[in-house]
Amino acid sequence: MVKRGARKIGLIDRNEQLMAEAASTLRALDCEVATAAADISRQASAHAAFGQVVEALGRVHCLVNSAAIYPRQDIFEITDEEWDLENAVNIKGTYHMMVAAVRHMQGFVAAPQVTGRIVNVTSVDAFKAHPQNAHYAATKAAVVSLTKSFAQACAKDQILVNSVAPAGFATERARQLGFLGELAAANPLGRAAEPAEIAEWIVMMGSSRNSYATGENVIVSGVTSMPEATALPASYRCALVTGATSGIGKAIVLALRDAGLQVIAVGRSREALQALGQEQGVVTVEADVRQADAFAQVLSQYPVDVLVNNAGVLSSRAAFQDMDPAEIDTMLDINLKAPCT
């Protein structure tokens, strides 16, 4: 977050020594830091710590709930004490911090501007069988549910609440416990993610780059990856966007152009393409994505590094059994077959 421009950071943790070390690192980056030691599993302690941060730094625009514990235990051997501790930190702690943040943020509502953002760190374990750590997985599933409930409750106040669910990643603790080989073996990429790679997604959901998504859970499992949002790879020079003349397609064209790429805007409306080319300074091509040969010719003319398949058509909203067969064929051709071609 500091690398992305944050100048004030509040830290809340039980481990005062590690928190002090983290604060020192951030201050060396010319960041103002406030710290508060707390047991977030207790409401009074969590709310008091949040209040300390507010008193020191002022308005809080984003809360990231990252605190959690990860003790392994066979599913048939989990004790009451282990359940209580896991629930207290991972669920109650997250809940108490969200309540504190929401009550604070509600004092700054100025719709339609975003009031604040909350990002909860969950886990892919919330969505799969995990018999060696079932209590942890259950708490993370609960946090996904809490995220959705808070998002709906806070939408009227323009507070965006989302979660990010990473697969196992290469934390210092994972290294100490010797988990990296296990994590690598379970991942199609053959390695565990680095903390900085997961942080990119959290920063995106917690920053002004997210102005609309709420109640969402972003899974970062290693099956897909995301480059830093501030810049595409330097080798990328040219992007081609289908369905480019309006709506999301036009917005994609402008975003890629602003990122420094030559953009080829493809569409079927000659008038809309002419207007787009004249107003926005992009190359336009009139083409029907259903015509594979014509589209291949377009691709052969430009050294395309990025292809965005945005072209699509909506149905007439008739019940499926009442739709004209020709309309169904058109939808399949444009929405399904053309992107594959």
Side-chain angles (χ1 to χ4, degrees):
M1 285 187 166
V2 173
K3 290 180 179 178
R4 295 286 181 265
R7 287 293 170 259
K8 296 181 179 182
I9 298 288
L11 303 176
I12 297 174
D13 205 304
R14 294 177 62 180
N15 191 320
E16 296 188 52
Q17 179 180 344
L18 290 179
M19 184 165 54
E21 292 174 5
S24 178
T25 299
L26 292 171
R27 290 185 180 115
L29 297 174
D30 196 27
C31 178
E32 184 179 352
V33 183
T35 63
D39 176 1
I40 63 169
S41 70
R42 310 306 299 172
Q43 181 186 67
S45 179
H47 289 193
F50 189 90
Q52 285 180 248
V53 171
V54 170
E55 184 176 356
L57 300 180
R59 179 179 176 181
V60 173
H61 294 85
C62 175
L63 166 69
V64 177
N65 274 314
S66 180
I69 57 174
Y70 183 83
R72 286 195 168 190
Q73 184 60 278
D74 182 88
I75 191 170
F76 298 112
E77 304 296 334
I78 305 170
T79 66
D80 285 339
E81 291 74 20
E82 288 169 330
W83 269 115
D84 291 344
L85 181 60
E86 196 81 12
N87 291 339
V89 176
N90 296 6
I91 302 175
K92 286 173 56 183
T94 299
Y95 168 80
H96 291 324
M97 293 306 303
M98 282 199 287
V99 170
V102 168
R103 288 177 177 170
H104 166 75
M105 292 173 180
Q106 285 174 329
F108 300 93
V109 176
Q113 288 80 18
V114 175
T115 304
R117 298 170 178 84
I118 297 174
V119 185
N120 298 319
V121 181
T122 57
S123 170
V124 295
D125 292 347
F127 307 98
K128 63 182 183 179
H130 209 305
Q132 72 272 31
N133 204 10
H135 51 336
Y136 170 81
T139 64
K140 288 304 184 179
V143 172
V144 172
S145 179
L146 272 178
T147 298
K148 294 181 179 297
S149 295
F150 268 80
Q152 186 169 11
C154 298
K156 66 182 186 302
D157 294 319
Q158 308 301 309
I159 299 171
L160 308 181
V161 186
N162 295 285
S163 56
V164 172
F169 56 102
T171 62
E172 196 58 42
R173 179 66 169 163
R175 295 181 196 277
Q176 293 170 357
L177 296 175
F179 287 167
L180 295 193
E182 176 185 331
L183 296 175
N187 196 294
L189 290 178
R191 66 176 180 88
E194 292 298 322
E197 294 176 297
I198 305 302
E200 285 292 333
W201 291 88
I202 295 169
V203 171
M204 182 183 74
M205 298 307 288
S207 72
S208 59
R209 284 145 59 189
N210 172 29
S211 59
Y212 193 73
T214 192
E216 304 291 352
N217 180 70
V218 180
I219 295 178
V220 189
S221 65
V223 177
T224 58
S225 62
M226 183 188 90
E228 292 189 3
T230 53
L232 290 166
S235 60
Y236 285 11
R237 294 286 183 268
C238 181
L240 188 148
V241 182
T242 67
T245 56
S246 63
I248 294 174
K250 184 175 180 181
I252 294 170
V253 167
L254 301 184
L256 290 171
R257 181 204 61 185
D258 292 345
L261 274 69
Q262 177 189 23
V263 180
I264 315 302
V266 178
R268 291 190 295 168
S269 170
R270 182 171 301 176
E271 291 183 1
L273 286 168
Q274 289 175 345
L276 183 64
Q278 292 170 359
E279 295 171 6
Q280 307 299 337
V282 299
V283 178
T284 60
V285 175
E286 183 180 351
D288 189 331
V289 297
R290 292 173 293 181
Q291 298 172 352
D293 292 342
F295 195 60
Q297 185 176 358
V298 173
L299 288 173
S300 69
Q301 294 175 4
Y302 300 97
V304 174
D305 299 296
V306 179
L307 170 64
V308 180
N309 280 312
N310 177 66
V313 293
L314 295 173
S315 73
S316 60
R317 296 183 182 272
F320 189 79
Q321 64 269 22
D322 298 328
M323 289 176 62
D324 188 300
E327 181 182 8
I328 296 174
D329 289 341
T330 298
M331 289 178 61
L332 292 175
D333 285 346
I334 295 178
N335 297 359
L336 182 60
K337 289 170 61 178
C340 295
T341 302

